[in-house]
Amino acid sequence: MIELQQLTKVFPNGRGIFDVTFTVRQGEVFGFLGPNGAGKSTTIRHLLGFLKPTKGRAFIHGFDCWRESVRVKALVGYLPGEIAFPEGMTGMELLDLLAGMRRMKTTRYRDELIERLQLDTRLPIRKMSKGTKQKVGLVAALMHNPEVIILDEPTSGLDPLMQQTFIDLLREEKQKGKTIFLSSHIFPEIERTCDRVAIMKDGRLMAVNDVHELQSMQRKLFDVMLSREEEVAQLLSSPLEVIHHDGRRVCIAVQGDYNAFIRELAQYQVQNLDLRTQSLEDIFMHYYDRRGDEQ
Amino acid sequence: MNVSLYKQMLKAQTKTIIGYSTGSAFYIVLVAAIYPSLADSKIINHYLQQLPSGFLKAFNITGMGNLLEFIAGEYYGLLFLLLGSIYCITAANQLLARPIDRGSMAYLLATPNSRQTIAFTQALVLLTGLAAIILTSAAAGFAADAWLVTNDALHQKRFLAINVSGFLLFFAISGYSFFFCAIANDEKRALSLSGGITVLFYSFDLIGKLTEKAEWLRYGSIFAAFEPGAIAQGQAEWLPSCLLLAIGVISYTAGIVTFSKRDLPL
């Protein structure tokens, strides 16, 4: 459905994206993961025809994203990464404008979305909070029932409850057979929604993996607080990978084998257990760097 | 053109357009209302005769002979230029440069409309506003003539010609402003380019009129193509107006074409 062939864009400052090639299949939820500045948005801007590739091409449904951009955009719903709306409008005026520009005939699905996201469309956009603006953007991206949905950092600004609503929405769209392409710099966000994931770093595509594969590759860090000081030494000599320890608190890295971890811990008096939030680099980049060194 | 976009953008511009239109209309009425009291004043005429001719020419004051010459000198010679130029530069900026700079253009471009369509629609909104301002000014002139000044009728045909010529001047100015907005990534840069060039043109025209030695400077100025005083005296020339039309058409076309082909930082 979405096809990138050696897509390359070199900006005057030498940065950009280089030889990005991958395919998103129809009906798939495809995650696009990478730290800020990795080239995710640049890639997405090519899909919308905002940028002309230096080399290579991008297609959606067989249409060239630069040369046949109008046909592409008839199929696509897009949520930009930066929230900036035209000035001086209420939410509803903007949605009406975009519906008019899309020559939409029915607003039934749009009204349903507004209802579900609990969006007050009467507010002038400049008075809306970041999360509310994001909802307006989401409605604008989904309201015309597009075949392909492209979302650049969709959950930024949404509170956890709304994030869940959003994930439910995506699942429904997937069930309708939509192709969904979404970018993020947060793995858990991708993990919950996507089937496959592409990882970008410094403008290059590092890998395209099945999300389950990635989950098994992921190294999680647990902070274990033991009740008894004397057990610390015992835990340190266990086969678990201990990153560091400080008094009764021990930090343990687990990759894939959660059962061994749980079995070992069952022998101790555990007072508290915490999962450490890690940056994307901590989770994956070490893996790719290592693999890169081996090659 | 996209009708929905046109309507919404025009609606967003309405307040500004009404502001400029009423301002312009009000000033014309004011000038027309003052005229009868000044027309017969010997002191003023005497005073005007004593001023250097270059100075009078510089501000398009050809005389106080009749109502039209007075309006042409007092309004179309200076304030009209200022008002129209500011509208052209700021409106072009709001309609094109700002949406590119702030990123809201992404929403418009995400709809299945070509960039040409969108740029053309924005240009049309800009020109609609301009037409509205000039039409209101002309209407105000005619109304003032009908109700306020009874003893000295306005030369209607020439007054109309001044307005048409004025529209063409701003068609050209808005044209190059639109072009700069289409090529710039940054709102401020677009504003400084179109504002800077306009100020430069105006200074060329002013210096050229003030000093005879530097009269050649006027050939480099777009403002030299608009001479309300000369039109008021019946010395209208067609060539400069045609040039303005050509500059406008070329720069709007160039703006739309460039906008359609460039990388957008959205």
Side-chain angles (χ1 to χ4, degrees):
Chain A
M1 200 57 159
I2 303 175
E3 199 183 344
L4 275 67
Q5 294 175 354
Q6 296 182 309
L7 191 69
T8 302
K9 178 78 189 177
V10 187
F11 291 114
N13 62 6
R15 291 171 61 91
I17 54 169
F18 307 93
D19 274 326
V20 178
T21 304
F22 62 82
T23 307
V24 181
R25 294 188 282 261
Q26 168 143 24
E28 188 173 39
V29 183
F30 193 90
F32 200 37
L33 194 63
N36 293 326
K40 303 188 297 289
S41 291
T42 303
T43 309
I44 289 179
R45 283 166 189 155
H46 281 93
L47 296 179
L48 271 294
F50 297 159
L51 297 175
K52 186 182 183 184
T54 311
K55 209 188 85 197
R57 293 170 82 180
F59 300 91
I60 291 182
H61 212 300
F63 298 119
D64 187 300
C65 290
W66 173 255
R67 272 183 270 163
E68 297 166 293
S69 154
V70 176
R71 306 196 68 165
V72 165
K73 286 181 288 195
L75 300 166
V76 170
Y78 170 57
L79 177 78
E82 276 169 58
I83 318 172
F85 291 106
E87 286 163 57
M89 286 186 213
T90 66
M92 194 44 110
E93 278 171 336
L94 176 77
L95 293 174
D96 279 338
L97 166 64
L98 297 176
M101 289 180 77
R102 288 193 169 276
R103 294 165 193 86
M104 269 167 60
K105 297 202 172 58
T106 158
T107 58
R108 209 167 50 88
Y109 188 50
R110 180 186 77 181
D111 299 337
E112 195 188 313
L113 286 169
I114 291 171
E115 176 85 8
R116 291 208 25 206
L117 291 168
Q118 295 160 20
L119 176 64
D120 183 1
T121 51
R122 289 163 305 174
L123 274 179
I125 292 173
R126 69 190 151 81
K127 295 210 173 140
M128 288 180 175
S129 69
K130 197 173 169 229
T132 313
K133 284 184 190 166
Q134 190 74 355
K135 290 182 197 172
V136 175
L138 275 174
V139 175
L142 300 176
M143 64 178 181
H144 52 289
N145 234 332
E147 291 211 11
V148 178
I149 301 167
I150 298 175
L151 310 163
D152 198 354
E153 309 265 349
T155 55
S156 66
L158 294 183
D159 61 51
L161 214 61
M162 267 307 142
Q163 289 191 15
Q164 193 51 51
T165 313
F166 166 74
I167 290 169
D168 293 343
L169 266 175
L170 279 196
R171 293 219 171 99
E172 281 168 39
E173 295 292 335
K174 180 184 156 69
Q175 268 163 15
K176 288 191 224 163
K178 305 294 178 61
T179 308
I180 302 168
F181 183 84
L182 68 102
S183 81
S184 177
H185 60 274
I186 309 164
F187 181 61
E189 193 175 289
I190 294 265
E191 190 180 27
R192 277 184 285 174
T193 44
C194 297
D195 306 321
R196 281 199 307 148
V197 182
I199 301 183
M200 289 281 282
K201 190 190 174 190
D202 299 332
R204 289 174 199 281
L205 188 66
M206 304 301 291
V208 180
N209 290 90
D210 189 273
V211 79
H212 301 298
E213 253 177 86
L214 277 185
Q215 280 168 337
S216 64
M217 256 154 51
Q218 186 186 358
R219 207 164 82 124
K220 284 186 181 165
L221 297 183
F222 291 94
D223 275 324
V224 182
M225 182 71 123
L226 297 174
S227 318
R228 286 188 237 134
E229 195 120 8
E230 53 271 29
E231 283 184 352
V232 173
Q234 194 191 336
L235 184 56
L236 289 182
S237 59
S238 75
L240 295 178
E241 186 187 346
V242 176
I243 303 293
H244 61 85
H245 65 102
D246 175 22
R248 286 181 290 127
R249 195 168 56 214
V250 182
C251 179
I252 297 168
V254 182
Q255 186 177 342
D257 196 357
Y258 295 101
N259 286 323
F261 174 63
I262 291 166
R263 271 197 298 273
E264 184 66 33
L265 276 194
Q267 303 165 23
Y268 304 86
Q269 286 288 326
V270 177
Q271 194 178 50
N272 194 7
L273 182 64
D274 245 339
L275 176 63
R276 219 185 252 195
T277 38
Q278 297 173 88
S279 72
L280 197 60
E281 283 86 345
D282 287 343
I283 303 177
F284 296 115
M285 292 316 168
H286 71 97
Y287 172 81
Y288 290 109
D289 285 344
R290 208 168 52 211
R291 208 180 55 170
D293 292 343
E294 281 166 14
Q295 278 169 1
Chain B
M1 181 182 100
N2 185 288
V3 181
S4 303
L5 181 63
Y6 179 79
K7 278 190 199 155
Q8 183 59 49
M9 287 295 148
L10 200 58
K11 200 178 145 201
Q13 287 281 312
T14 304
K15 265 191 202 159
T16 320
I17 295 171
I18 290 179
Y20 280 94
S21 301
T22 33
S24 174
F26 181 76
Y27 200 83
I28 288 191
V29 172
L30 193 76
V31 169
I34 295 172
Y35 175 71
S37 63
L38 293 181
D40 305 323
S41 154
K42 289 204 173 71
I43 304 166
I44 299 256
N45 272 316
H46 182 68
Y47 172 70
L48 279 180
Q49 276 161 17
Q50 285 186 330
L51 285 172
S53 65
F55 179 83
L56 293 175
K57 210 169 114 193
F59 295 100
N60 293 313
I61 300 167
T62 49
M64 305 263 292
N66 57 50
L67 174 62
L68 182 61
E69 278 185 31
F70 189 66
I71 292 182
E74 291 302 312
Y75 181 64
Y76 285 88
L78 185 62
L79 203 71
F80 177 72
L81 300 177
L82 204 68
L83 207 78
S85 303
I86 294 175
Y87 170 76
C88 290
I89 294 166
T90 52
N93 216 59
Q94 279 167 13
L95 286 165
L96 201 60
R98 187 171 298 172
I100 297 175
D101 188 2
R102 306 223 173 147
S104 64
M105 185 61 87
Y107 285 91
L108 309 181
L109 287 181
T111 62
N113 293 286
S114 67
R115 290 199 200 170
Q116 283 98 318
T117 309
I118 286 172
F120 181 74
T121 309
Q122 299 295 74
L124 222 53
V125 173
L126 176 57
L127 288 174
T128 308
L130 194 57
I133 293 169
I134 306 262
L135 277 175
T136 321
S137 311
F142 285 123
D145 175 48
W147 291 313
L148 288 174
V149 189
T150 41
N151 55 350
D152 188 0
L154 187 74
H155 197 304
Q156 297 193 340
K157 220 173 143 188
R158 289 181 192 168
F159 180 64
L160 213 58
I162 290 179
N163 281 289
V164 171
S165 177
F167 178 79
L168 289 175
L169 172 72
F170 295 129
F171 178 58
I173 293 178
S174 64
Y176 66 68
S177 304
F178 189 81
F179 173 73
F180 290 134
C181 290
I183 59 168
N185 283 339
D186 177 3
E187 194 182 335
K188 285 200 183 106
R189 190 173 161 73
L191 202 61
S192 57
L193 274 172
S194 35
I197 288 225
T198 308
V199 169
L200 206 65
F201 277 156
Y202 188 74
S203 322
F204 279 3
D205 188 52
L206 202 62
I207 297 167
K209 280 171 173 170
L210 279 172
T211 48
E212 268 176 34
K213 273 186 197 160
E215 211 182 337
W216 56 271
L217 267 178
R218 293 195 68 208
Y219 290 108
S221 169
I222 208 162
F223 287 99
F226 177 61
E227 294 196 280
I231 301 174
Q233 290 181 328
Q235 302 155 356
E237 283 185 66
W238 284 108
L239 185 66
S241 291
C242 292
L243 275 175
L244 289 175
L245 186 70
I247 293 172
V249 170
I250 291 169
S251 27
Y252 271 110
T253 313
I256 292 171
V257 170
T258 321
F259 179 72
S260 306
K261 293 193 171 164
R262 62 175 292 208
D263 283 341
L264 289 169
L266 298 174

